[in-house]
Amino acid sequence: MKKVILILLVCVIRQLAIAQSDEDIAIKIAESNPASKKVDQLIVVYNQNPKDNQATLIGLEKVKGTWKVKLKAIKASIGRNGMAAINEKVEGDGKSPSGIFELGRLFGYEELAPTSIHYTQSTTEDKWIDDPNAEDYNTYVRGNTNAKSFEHLLLKSIDYKYCMVIEYNTQPVVKGKGSAIFFHLADEKYTPTSGCVAIAENDMLDYLQWLMPNKKRAILLTSLHYL
């Protein structure tokens, strides 16, 4: 009898999970995070299992103190090894960091971008330092650096055609906790990233047009397993 009740309970829980839309889940995630109270526009990214390297991404905006869906659920690629737990992200682990982070500077290949937020055209001199032993670790550099490794922001691939900084481990920078975490373009196969969040170009254009310079913007990354 107890076994039957347990099976029925599991079925009910699963049905409730199925009944919840991606948008409803995103709103609940936003509402449960105290730091989101200071945010106007929030991108919620979540996966079901921490090891999943594909995730759901949704755009929320606060309207009279209540979160409303502005851009519906889409597919996103994240770290090839999934989502790190809070404060467990380290350099080279192939995971995206969990937490809520401001969305910073936007870089791109073209002279202009279809957005009203601050935009910088990338050059061959632009790089992001990922050498944990470098003085300029996890910072943007235009020009020379003594770092032994770094990410070029002007690539031959589509990835950084639009590339927005996710302000993870930037204020302050902690050596070895991870670097170069961006919100950028995915390829056609949605290839997993080294820790960034990547979406299709058409979807990115929607986000660039939606994000406003006069609003507090952030991205919240998590796994449902961690909630």
Side-chain angles (χ1 to χ4, degrees), residues 30-40 42 62 65 67 100 216:
E31 290 175 341
S32 67
N33 191 298
S36 71
K37 293 180 180 179
K38 299 180 180 180
V39 177
D40 301 309
L42 182 66
K62 198 172 288 176
W67 287 113
I100 185 168
K216 186 79 169 179

Side-chain angles (χ1 to χ4, degrees), residues 201-220:
E201 183 171 359
N202 287 341
D203 292 328
M204 179 63 80
L205 292 175
D206 289 338
Y207 274 87
L208 294 183
Q209 292 167 11
W210 169 59
L211 294 170
M212 292 289 110
N214 61 336
K215 294 183 182 293
K216 186 79 169 179
R217 307 178 301 276
I219 186 166
L220 193 163

Side-chain angles (χ1 to χ4, degrees), residues 2 4 10-11 30-31 41 45 57-58 66 73 103 127 137 140 157 169-170 188 191 223:
K2 288 182 179 180
V4 173
V10 170
C11 290
E31 290 175 341
Q41 293 182 309
V45 184
L57 184 147
I58 296 164
T66 302
L103 286 168
K127 48 190 74 78
Y137 174 61
Y140 162 68
S157 67
N169 193 32
T170 57
E188 293 182 358
T191 302
S223 174

Side-chain angles (χ1 to χ4, degrees), residues 94-106:
K95 296 180 180 181
S96 296
S98 290
I100 185 168
F101 314 103
E102 289 187 20
L103 286 168
R105 198 166 183 172
L106 172 66

Side-chain angles (χ1 to χ4, degrees), residues 43 45 57 77-78 96-107 128 138 163-171 178-184 195-198 217-221:
I43 299 174
V45 184
L57 184 147
S77 294
I78 59 170
S96 296
S98 290
I100 185 168
F101 314 103
E102 289 187 20
L103 286 168
R105 198 166 183 172
L106 172 66
F107 295 90
W128 200 277
N138 201 28
C163 174
M164 192 178 304
V165 177
I166 295 176
E167 297 285 358
Y168 166 75
N169 193 32
T170 57
Q171 298 178 359
S179 61
I181 306 298
F182 304 131
F183 180 39
H184 64 75
C196 300
V197 177
R217 307 178 301 276
I219 186 166
L220 193 163
L221 289 78

Side-chain angles (χ1 to χ4, degrees), residues 34-212:
S36 71
K37 293 180 180 179
K38 299 180 180 180
V39 177
D40 301 309
Q41 293 182 309
L42 182 66
I43 299 174
V44 177
V45 184
Y46 71 90
N47 62 9
Q48 299 287 334
N49 185 301
K51 294 182 180 180
D52 293 342
N53 53 39
Q54 302 296 309
T56 299
L57 184 147
I58 296 164
L60 304 180
E61 188 163 330
K62 198 172 288 176
V63 179
K64 295 181 179 180
T66 302
W67 287 113
K68 301 293 184 182
V69 175
K70 290 298 179 178
L71 292 170
K72 293 185 177 181
I74 59 170
K75 181 180 178 179
S77 294
I78 59 170
R80 62 181 178 274
N81 293 321
M83 196 88 69
I86 291 286
N87 297 323
E88 291 188 9
K89 165 72 182 170
V90 294
E91 186 69 42
D93 64 1
K95 296 180 180 181
S96 296
S98 290
I100 185 168
F101 314 103
E102 289 187 20
L103 286 168
R105 198 166 183 172
L106 172 66
F107 295 90
Y109 299 167
E110 306 296 333
E111 182 178 357
L112 299 173
T115 184
S116 59
I117 63 177
H118 182 72
Y119 173 76
T120 299
Q121 183 179 17
S122 300
T123 73
T124 55
E125 293 295 307
D126 290 332
K127 48 190 74 78
W128 200 277
I129 311 304
D130 59 13
D131 176 4
N133 296 315
E135 292 183 358
D136 43 12
Y137 174 61
N138 201 28
T139 63
Y140 162 68
V141 173
R142 174 170 281 186
N144 296 326
T145 177
N146 292 321
K148 294 182 179 179
S149 64
F150 49 80
E151 291 262 2
H152 285 286
L153 296 182
L154 184 60
L155 304 175
K156 293 182 179 180
S157 67
I158 194 176
D159 300 54
Y160 291 172
K161 181 178 178 180
Y162 300 114
C163 174
M164 192 178 304
V165 177
I166 295 176
E167 297 285 358
Y168 166 75
N169 193 32
T170 57
Q171 298 178 359
V173 175
V174 179
K175 300 294 184 182
K177 291 298 288 182
S179 61
I181 306 298
F182 304 131
F183 180 39
H184 64 75
L185 298 189
D187 59 22
E188 293 182 358
K189 296 181 179 179
Y190 284 86
T191 302
T193 71
S194 295
C196 300
V197 177
I199 61 175
E201 183 171 359
N202 287 341
D203 292 328
M204 179 63 80
L205 292 175
D206 289 338
Y207 274 87
L208 294 183
Q209 292 167 11
W210 169 59
L211 294 170
M212 292 289 110

Side-chain angles (χ1 to χ4, degrees), residues 14-38:
R14 287 178 177 174
Q15 287 301 317
L16 286 173
I18 293 171
Q20 281 190 318
S21 68
D22 293 322
E23 289 77 10
D24 289 338
I25 293 172
I27 288 173
K28 288 183 178 180
I29 291 172
E31 290 175 341
S32 67
N33 191 298
S36 71
K37 293 180 180 179
K38 299 180 180 180

